[in-house]
């Protein structure tokens, strides 16, 4: 017996933290999207923490019945999830984008709803956002609860293959879903018997979609963000999402939690009756997940206590996710092959085969032929123009190791993210580190410093600590008595060389320099001029006079 439709199940309205629910819209309200297409509202069929969902039709002259082909999500402008979802559909889920990707991959369909329309609407003085989507049937979570919290393997493996396809498309557009769960997976509306045939599944609700790829095409690095930590549904939140970041491996990890729950009934961190307690600490759940990935086979045995051996394909799936890097592109073909029909039809264990099996899904065509290059000596082939194929050379191997607390604590992501190791160089650097560039607009304090530097260079400001002489001459602060003696000796030596070169007679005992000799010396010796300028003295005669005056003043004091 199929469960009730979503519009038949009463739901209590409760606003999310920091958000407000929209006002109830009356049936027949006309909404106009950004492409000037008009939509007519019907009855409300769902309520969430951020907004409401209504039946809708593009035939505005008729009343909307229960057989409507569209639904409209409405949120107040102050709420954020619908804005993120609208941007995802406009940028990554247009009709032509999905069709081009299906032709490129040679598949019949992908479980991502196509974009229909979006816009803003004003009702009773308040602005609202709305998003138009195709209408689907019951979600997997309601089917899971209606069957006593357990789904058959046939349906679970079919959903796994379709969700891997949907995630591959989403990841190809640079986004991560970040909230994969049963209530966000809707089955096709025309499916009557969910157990005898494979229903078409669609992944919806992109309110937490995360753009992991930058505009330059590179993957965003791992960064701990307390503002977004533990984001999503707690029982299915990935280890990366507990840190506040998302990636491709996080979506695959979240999907693995759902598959385990659908097969065994509940996850180890859930209550006995299912679900999470209100008092459950997100940090405690995060620690259990980290411990689980340290020994995947042991975790699988704890989940499937009622079976002698856990499903081999699901164990290999979780081990592959455990070894996947944060920025590594997953091998979607290999993950699909783990849940192919041969696993549950013929009841055989799927070995590590990397070729996509034929007729895996009724909507898939022939597999893509990929170019490979073989090295000499029967070595494993290496992919050339494709990164999604894993060969015998680089296939992940599973080595069962014994559990060790030291190993778990050594690679704990919390400690790796929050504590950054400080690397001290063995020897000091040869060159000092470059100074940071100045800001574009200098501040008032910087302008004052620049002005003081210019005044000091021009000589308008003199130091307060200079010793004043009797004739009010100032002694430079940087010139010591020893430096003065050296300057006098250097100046005397230069004067002697100038006098000897001009064939002028002078005695070796004469230490007095006349004004004419000092002028000649100043003209031919640039170095002497600089020294005298720094000392504030025009000639050597004045220098000697200044020294004698200082000595007399020192004796008097």
């Amino acid at each position: 017996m199929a469960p009730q439709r979503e519009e038949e199940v009463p739901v209590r309205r409760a606003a999310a933290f920091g958000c407000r629910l929209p006002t109830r819209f009356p049936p027949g309200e006309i909404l106009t999207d950004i492409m000037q297409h008009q939509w007519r509202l019907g009855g409300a069929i769902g309520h969430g923490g951020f907004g409401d969902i209504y039946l809708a039709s593009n035939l505005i002259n008729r009343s909307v019945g229960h057989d409507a082909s569209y639904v409209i999500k409405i949120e107040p402008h102050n709420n954020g999830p619908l804005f993120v979802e609208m941007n995802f559909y406009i940028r990554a889920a247009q009709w032509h984008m999905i069709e081009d990707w299906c032709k490129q991959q040679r598949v019949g369909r992908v479980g991502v709803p196509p974009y229909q329309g979006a816009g803003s609407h004003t009702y009773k003085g308040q602005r609202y956002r709305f998003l138009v989507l195709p209408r689907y049937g019951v979600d997997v979570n309601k089917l899971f609860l209606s069957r006593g919290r357990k789904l058959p393997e046939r349906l679970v493996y079919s959903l796994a293959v379709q969700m891997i396809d949907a995630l591959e498309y989403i990841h190809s557009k640079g986004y991560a879903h970040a909230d994969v769960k049963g209530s966000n997976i809707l089955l096709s509306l025309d499916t009557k018997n969910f157990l005898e045939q494979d229903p078409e599944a669609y992944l919806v609700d992109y309110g937490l979609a995360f753009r992991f790829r930058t505009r330059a095409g590179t993957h965003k690095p791992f960064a701990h963000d307390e503002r977004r930590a533990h984001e999503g549904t707690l029982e299915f939140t990935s280890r990366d999402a507990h840190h506040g970041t998302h990636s491709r491996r996080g979506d695959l990890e979240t999907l693995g939690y759902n598959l385990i729950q659908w097969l065994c009934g509940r996850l180890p961190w859930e209550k006995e009756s299912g679900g999470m307690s209100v008092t459950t600490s997100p940090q405690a759940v995060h620690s259990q997940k980290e411990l689980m990935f340290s020994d995947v086979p042991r975790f699988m045995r704890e989940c499937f206590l009622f079976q002698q051996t856990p499903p081999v394909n699901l164990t290999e799936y979780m081990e592959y996710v455990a070894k996947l890097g944060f920025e590594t592109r997953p091998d979607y073909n290999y993950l699909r092959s783990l849940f192919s029909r041969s696993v549950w039809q013929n009841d055989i264990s799927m070995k590590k085969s990397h070729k996509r099996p034929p007729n895996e899904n009724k909507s898939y065509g022939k597999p893509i032929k990929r170019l490979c290059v073989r090295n000499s000596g029967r070595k494993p082939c290496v992919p050339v123009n494709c990164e999604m194929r894993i060969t015998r050379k680089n296939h992940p191997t599973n080595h069962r190791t014994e559990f060790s607390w030291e190993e778990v604590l050594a690679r704990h992501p919390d400690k790796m993210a929050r504590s950054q190791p400080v690397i001290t160089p063995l020897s000091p650097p040869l060159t000092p580190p470059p100074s940071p560039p100045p800001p574009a607009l200098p501040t008032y304090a910087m302008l004052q410093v620049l002005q003081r530097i210019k005044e000091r260079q021009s000589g308008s400001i003199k130091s307060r600590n200079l010793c004043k002489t009797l004739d009010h001459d100032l002694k430079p602060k940087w010139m010591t008595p020893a430096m003065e003696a050296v300057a006098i000796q250097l100046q005397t030596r230069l004067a002697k060389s100038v006098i000897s070169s001009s064939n002028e007679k002078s005695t070796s005992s004469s230490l007095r320099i006349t004004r004419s000799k000092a002028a000649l010396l100043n003209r031919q010796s640039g170095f002497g001029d600089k020294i005298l300028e720094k000392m504030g003295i025009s000639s050597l005669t004045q220098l000697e006079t200044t020294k004698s005056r200082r000595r007399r003043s020192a004796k008097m004091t």
Side-chain angles (χ1 to χ4, degrees):
M1 175 180 177
Q4 293 178 326
R5 291 184 300 181
E6 189 172 1
E7 56 266 28
E8 298 175 356
V9 179
V11 181
R12 181 182 176 183
R13 299 185 74 193
F17 179 76
C19 301
R20 63 182 184 87
L21 292 175
T23 306
R24 287 288 185 90
F25 281 69
E29 185 77 11
I30 304 299
L31 308 181
T32 305
D33 61 14
I34 56 178
M35 301 301 295
Q36 301 303 315
H37 297 157
Q38 292 185 338
W39 305 88
R40 186 185 180 96
L41 287 183
I45 61 173
H47 313 282
F50 302 96
D52 299 335
I53 303 176
Y54 296 83
L55 293 174
S57 175
N58 55 353
L59 303 176
I60 61 175
N61 297 326
R62 300 180 184 178
S63 60
V64 182
H66 292 286
D67 57 345
S69 302
Y70 302 95
V71 295
I72 289 183
K73 300 177 69 173
I74 299 178
E75 273 187 14
H77 253 267
N78 296 333
N79 297 354
L82 190 58
F83 174 78
V84 177
E85 189 170 5
M86 288 169 55
N87 278 272
F88 168 80
Y89 277 106
I90 293 173
R91 295 179 179 179
Q94 300 278 357
W95 269 106
H96 64 90
M97 297 179 182
I98 298 178
E99 291 179 357
D100 294 344
W101 191 84
C102 291
K103 291 179 181 179
Q104 182 182 2
Q105 300 293 325
R106 298 183 183 180
V107 295
R109 53 168 291 274
V110 64
V112 177
Y115 170 75
Q116 301 292 333
S120 298
H121 182 73
T122 303
Y123 180 71
K124 292 184 178 182
Q126 298 291 333
R127 294 188 63 194
Y128 299 91
R129 290 192 184 96
F130 67 90
L131 176 65
V132 185
L133 296 173
R135 185 189 177 192
Y136 300 111
V138 68
D139 62 76
V140 176
N141 187 53
K142 288 186 174 62
L143 184 65
F144 172 70
L145 297 176
S146 65
R147 290 189 53 83
R149 300 186 62 86
K150 203 169 185 180
L151 294 178
E153 290 187 359
R154 176 192 179 97
L155 178 60
V156 172
Y157 294 158
S158 175
L159 294 174
V161 173
Q162 296 184 65
M163 289 302 101
I164 293 174
D165 293 336
L167 292 177
E168 182 180 7
Y169 173 80
I170 297 169
H171 297 165
S172 67
K173 300 301 180 181
Y175 283 89
H177 188 276
D179 196 19
V180 181
K181 58 182 179 180
S183 57
N184 290 338
I185 301 175
L186 303 181
L187 304 179
S188 56
L189 190 61
D190 55 352
T191 304
K192 296 181 180 180
N193 195 334
F194 300 98
L195 303 179
E196 294 181 1
Q197 56 181 332
D198 298 338
E200 295 181 354
Y202 294 86
L203 185 59
V204 299
D205 197 353
Y206 296 86
L208 298 179
F210 181 81
R211 196 169 187 177
F212 67 87
R213 188 178 298 160
T214 61
R215 293 183 179 180
T218 59
H219 197 293
K220 293 181 180 179
F222 181 89
H224 183 87
D225 189 357
E226 287 290 344
R227 297 171 299 176
R228 303 189 61 176
H230 316 294
E231 192 175 46
T233 307
L234 184 58
E235 51 263 50
F236 308 115
T237 302
S238 64
R239 295 168 297 166
D240 295 332
H242 279 290
H243 289 284
T245 185
H246 302 279
S247 63
R248 291 171 286 193
R249 73 174 183 182
D251 283 346
L252 296 176
E253 178 183 339
T254 305
L255 177 61
Y257 294 148
N258 284 272
L259 299 178
I260 295 174
Q261 187 195 56
W262 296 339
L263 289 176
C264 67
R266 71 177 187 90
L267 295 169
W269 43 83
E270 289 185 300
K271 298 185 297 184
E272 292 293 336
S273 58
M276 300 295 294
S277 176
V278 181
T279 59
T280 303
S281 173
Q283 290 80 5
V285 177
H286 184 198
S287 301
Q288 294 185 39
K289 293 175 183 177
E290 292 291 346
L291 183 62
M292 163 255 183
F293 272 97
S294 63
D295 192 354
V296 176
R298 177 182 176 183
F299 168 77
M300 296 298 293
R301 289 193 299 270
E302 293 179 358
C303 293
F304 295 88
L305 294 174
F306 57 91
Q307 296 184 11
Q308 186 175 2
T309 57
V312 179
N313 54 350
L314 191 55
T315 304
E316 293 183 0
Y317 176 90
M318 299 304 292
E319 289 180 342
Y320 178 84
V321 174
K323 297 179 180 180
L324 196 62
F326 180 75
E327 300 181 6
T328 306
R329 185 186 188 278
D331 183 12
Y332 301 97
N333 278 350
Y334 168 67
L335 298 177
R336 272 189 292 260
S337 67
L338 295 176
F339 304 103
S340 63
R341 290 193 175 188
S342 59
V343 175
W344 50 266
Q345 266 190 343
N346 303 327
D347 195 20
I348 62 173
S349 298
M350 173 61 65
K351 297 182 180 180
K352 299 175 183 179
S353 172
H354 312 298
K355 183 179 178 182
R356 187 169 179 171
N359 299 328
E360 178 184 326
N361 194 320
K362 63 180 180 180
S363 60
Y364 288 99
K366 297 180 180 180
I368 303 174
K369 295 182 179 180
R370 309 193 182 279
L371 299 177
C372 298
V373 175
R374 287 191 178 274
N375 300 327
S376 59
R378 293 186 60 81
K379 293 182 179 180
C381 59
V382 180
V384 175
N385 60 343
C386 161
E387 61 173 348
M388 67 175 59
R389 182 183 180 193
I390 288 185
T391 60
R392 290 171 291 173
K393 183 177 180 180
N394 56 4
H395 185 273
T397 57
N398 298 325
H399 299 286
R400 184 175 179 180
T401 58
E402 295 183 358
F403 175 74
S404 174
W405 273 109
E406 291 77 8
E407 183 179 357
V408 175
L409 296 176
R411 60 179 182 178
H412 202 286
D414 277 335
K415 296 182 179 180
M416 294 174 62
R418 297 179 182 178
S419 61
Q420 299 179 356
V422 179
I423 302 176
T424 57
L426 298 178
S427 59
L430 299 178
T431 58
S435 59
L441 297 176
T443 61
Y444 292 106
M446 296 177 64
L447 292 175
Q448 292 178 2
V449 172
L450 293 176
Q451 184 64 24
R452 291 179 181 175
I453 293 175
K454 291 180 180 179
E455 292 176 352
R456 288 176 181 175
Q457 291 177 353
S458 61
S460 60
I461 296 181
K462 298 181 180 180
S463 176
R464 297 181 181 178
N465 297 327
L466 296 179
C467 298
K468 295 185 178 182
T469 59
L470 296 177
D471 56 352
H472 303 287
D473 293 333
L474 298 180
K475 174 186 174 182
K477 187 177 180 180
W478 60 273
M479 184 67 75
T480 61
M483 296 173 65
E484 291 180 3
V486 172
I488 293 173
Q489 293 178 5
L490 180 61
Q491 193 71 12
T492 306
R493 197 174 300 171
L494 290 174
K496 289 181 180 180
S497 62
V498 172
I499 294 172
S500 61
S501 63
S502 61
N503 297 325
E504 294 181 2
K505 296 180 179 181
S506 60
T507 60
S508 59
S509 61
S510 177
L511 298 176
R512 181 179 177 81
I513 299 178
T514 62
R515 294 183 180 180
S516 60
K517 293 179 181 180
L520 179 62
L521 180 62
N522 291 336
R523 286 196 300 270
Q524 297 186 2
S525 177
F527 181 74
D529 293 341
K530 294 181 181 179
I531 295 179
L532 292 176
E533 285 180 7
K534 291 183 179 180
M535 295 176 63
I537 300 171
S538 60
S539 65
L540 289 174
T541 305
Q542 185 179 356
L543 177 61
E544 294 177 355
T545 306
T546 303
K547 288 188 63 177
S548 61
R549 289 178 180 177
R550 290 177 185 170
R551 290 172 183 172
R552 287 197 301 269
S553 62
K555 291 180 180 180
M556 293 174 62
T557 56

